[in-house]
Amino acid sequence: MSASYPPVTEHLAGVDAKREEGRRKMDWALQHMPILQHLRESFTAEQPLAGQTIAMAMHVEAKTANLVELLADGGAEVAITGCNPLSTHDDVSAALDAHENITSYAVRGVDDEDYYAAIDSVIAHDPTITVDDGMDMIKVVHEEYPELIDSIIGGCEETTTGVHRLRAMDADGELEYPVFAVNDTPMKRLFDNVHGTGESSLATIAMTTNLSFAGKDVVVGGYGYCGKGVAKKASGQNANVIVTEVEPRRALEAHMEGYDVMPMDEAAKQGDVFITTTGNRDVITKEHFEVMKDGALLANAGHFDVEINKEDLSELAVKEFEARDGVRAYELADGRKLNVLAEGRLVNLAAPIALGHPVEVMDQSFGIQAVGVRELVENGDEYAAGVHDVPDDLDREVAEIKLAAEGVEHDTLTEDQREYLESWQHGT
């Protein structure tokens, strides 16, 4: 297979300066990533990934880059591209490409054709392992390069949307190698999805607009782990939080947490800020735009840019313009202006000033990715094709590394306690 899309350095001017800046960002992040530091030491010494080729489609920024280098320092050849056209930091991508075991094809702002051409170039390295954020790499491998499947040990999937897609693919009997659902393991889901999405989405919206959340009605579309985080953090910034949800138990949970819960048809009339977190399409559509307040902000914290229906909004608009960097205003016939952030893409990574989740949070998520890849190399034959939970002992391993780095000690079970919990014979 031949690669048609060139590495990042062939797209950039001033490559040396960009590499230097990218390395500076990576070094800063690594200072605050004790899990990856710990794993880098062991991976470098033990070379657990020697002989492997890892194909990655991820958000290429400083935190991700430290995971990529960890895998390369562990003996793998790594090829990477972006998983979102607007989330790549070109300077970080250039810094990665300087590593002798890494080729980066990630370039910010590519169109759909080049986005998939870059994925093709990554796959041209003939991977033995895939690492995805959103499942695009796995989809392309299965649909366009099925001849490679027999040589792929397995993969890891980072995010909620990707895991949903994988489970659907698995249910249809179309997933032909094992993939760890990294998103679903506690060390990722409870921290990355809740605290990471909540903090980074609100911070990016505030910096992009220079507006406060205090006193505003913030509508959170969806009350999964990401939605919970956004709602919690918005409430903490003195916003009035409204939750919309299709799943009755989650709607009840939001209600019991003290949030207003209502259909989007009603919330659309009240909201000042809308943040979608569902992973589904058409969460906000024409009938909602028609009743929104003048000046409403619309942002998406789900993976793909399908939650806010921009086609509907464009059809309603009589004028469109860039109100600020990263904010596109749609002026309607009655003079109201509705403002879409980051083109409706993942706001905390696609806005011009976006930095993604906090470093400490991604240290945990990427720690799980690293030990997941190691597990596939060491024990891949034990996993059949399909979606798999990350083994609990690996999740605990990453938690122990983090606690030790934080200087936090915790209790352990005594043998009597362990025996009691594992027995059915003990009563009151």
Side-chain angles (χ1 to χ4, degrees):
M1 191 190 311
S2 61
S4 58
Y5 191 79
V8 60
T9 51
E10 297 188 29
H11 298 267
L12 304 177
V15 169
D16 290 342
K18 284 185 169 61
R19 280 177 171 161
E20 183 177 345
E21 177 59 20
R23 172 56 55 185
R24 190 164 70 106
K25 291 179 179 178
M26 291 164 62
D27 289 346
W28 168 261
L30 189 60
Q31 290 180 53
H32 305 280
M33 303 181 86
I35 297 169
L36 291 198
Q37 289 181 41
H38 177 93
L39 291 173
R40 182 174 292 204
E41 290 180 10
S42 63
F43 274 46
T44 300
E46 299 166 14
Q47 294 290 288
L49 309 183
Q52 304 300 320
T53 301
I54 302 175
M56 304 180 72
M58 303 282 282
H59 300 293
V60 180
E61 45 78 59
K63 301 177 291 290
T64 309
N66 284 317
L67 168 65
V68 178
E69 284 202 333
L70 163 64
L71 300 176
D73 290 345
E77 176 196 343
V78 184
I80 186 168
T81 187
C83 64
N84 184 302
L86 292 179
S87 65
T88 292
H89 291 204
D90 286 340
D91 50 3
V92 172
S93 184
L96 275 179
D97 199 66
H99 192 293
E100 62 180 356
N101 291 342
I102 299 170
T103 307
S104 179
Y105 299 93
V107 180
R108 184 180 179 90
V110 294
D111 59 21
D112 284 351
E113 181 179 354
D114 283 346
Y115 175 82
Y116 285 103
I119 289 178
D120 289 337
S121 289
V122 169
I123 295 172
H125 288 252
D126 295 337
T128 57
I129 292 172
T130 60
V131 178
D132 270 85
D133 191 317
M135 207 206 85
D136 280 349
M137 182 77 66
I138 291 174
K139 181 176 183 292
V140 171
V141 167
H142 279 74
E143 291 183 346
E144 300 182 26
Y145 305 101
E147 70 276 7
L148 296 180
I149 289 174
D150 286 344
S151 60
I152 295 178
I153 301 169
C156 293
E157 169 56 51
E158 171 76 9
T159 200
T160 306
T161 296
V163 170
H164 285 170
R165 297 177 77 195
L166 280 171
R167 293 197 187 281
M169 188 178 184
D170 195 10
D172 287 345
E174 298 294 332
L175 181 56
E176 297 190 36
Y177 59 80
V179 182
F180 283 137
V182 170
N183 177 77
D184 293 357
T185 202
M187 279 296 287
K188 199 276 187 186
R189 182 183 66 239
L190 297 177
F191 304 96
D192 183 312
N193 293 2
V194 176
H195 298 285
T197 301
E199 291 182 19
S200 63
S201 297
L202 294 179
T204 303
I205 293 168
M207 289 188 294
T208 301
T209 64
N210 196 31
L211 298 175
S212 171
F213 292 99
K216 288 188 172 64
D217 290 321
V218 174
V219 178
V220 180
Y223 201 67
Y225 285 97
C226 293
K228 291 175 186 177
V230 172
K232 180 178 181 178
K233 304 298 181 179
S235 180
Q237 295 195 41
N238 300 318
N240 306 309
V241 176
I242 299 169
V243 171
T244 70
E245 178 56 75
V246 298
E247 210 288 328
R249 291 160 295 185
R250 288 181 178 174
L252 180 58
E253 184 181 9
H255 170 69
M256 295 294 284
E257 290 291 332
Y259 303 122
D260 291 330
V261 179
M262 63 186 71
M264 184 63 79
D265 288 351
E266 296 301 316
K269 302 171 186 175
Q270 298 187 34
D272 299 299
V273 182
F274 296 80
I275 307 172
T276 57
T277 68
T278 71
N280 206 343
R281 61 176 298 165
D282 297 332
V283 179
I284 303 177
T285 58
K286 179 181 179 180
E287 62 266 28
H288 306 129
F289 300 134
E290 289 176 334
V291 299
M292 283 183 180
K293 296 177 182 179
D294 181 29
L297 305 178
L298 298 106
N300 170 44
H303 188 78
F304 292 116
D305 61 335
V306 296
E307 304 205 22
I308 301 167
N309 192 314
K310 293 179 294 182
E311 291 76 15
D312 281 0
L313 188 51
S314 286
E315 289 178 6
L316 288 173
V318 296
K319 180 181 179 182
E320 299 180 25
F321 59 94
E322 297 303 309
R324 287 174 62 88
D325 288 346
V327 181
R328 187 162 186 80
Y330 294 75
E331 185 172 337
L332 308 186
D334 59 6
R336 285 179 298 127
K337 298 182 183 68
L338 307 181
N339 302 288
V340 176
L341 277 63
E343 300 181 11
R345 298 187 182 276
L346 192 56
V347 69
N348 63 329
L349 280 157
I353 58 173
L355 297 174
H357 288 0
V359 175
E360 299 93 336
V361 167
M362 294 313 302
D363 187 33
Q364 297 179 186
S365 298
F366 290 153
I368 296 294
Q369 288 279 17
V371 298
V373 169
R374 185 189 65 194
E375 172 70 7
L376 287 169
V377 173
E378 294 178 348
N379 301 302
D381 291 343
E382 298 179 9
Y383 299 93
V387 180
H388 296 266
D389 291 335
V390 175
D392 192 59
D393 61 319
L394 300 185
D395 201 61
R396 289 176 178 272
E397 175 188 347
V398 173
E400 294 284 2
I401 295 170
K402 180 68 170 182
L403 287 170
E406 296 286 324
V408 177
E409 297 181 2
H410 63 95
D411 285 328
T412 57
L413 294 173
T414 66
E415 285 304 314
D416 286 345
Q417 289 174 323
R418 191 181 306 279
E419 190 268 336
Y420 181 85
L421 291 175
E422 293 174 355
S423 173
W424 57 270
Q425 294 174 320
H426 296 292
T428 57

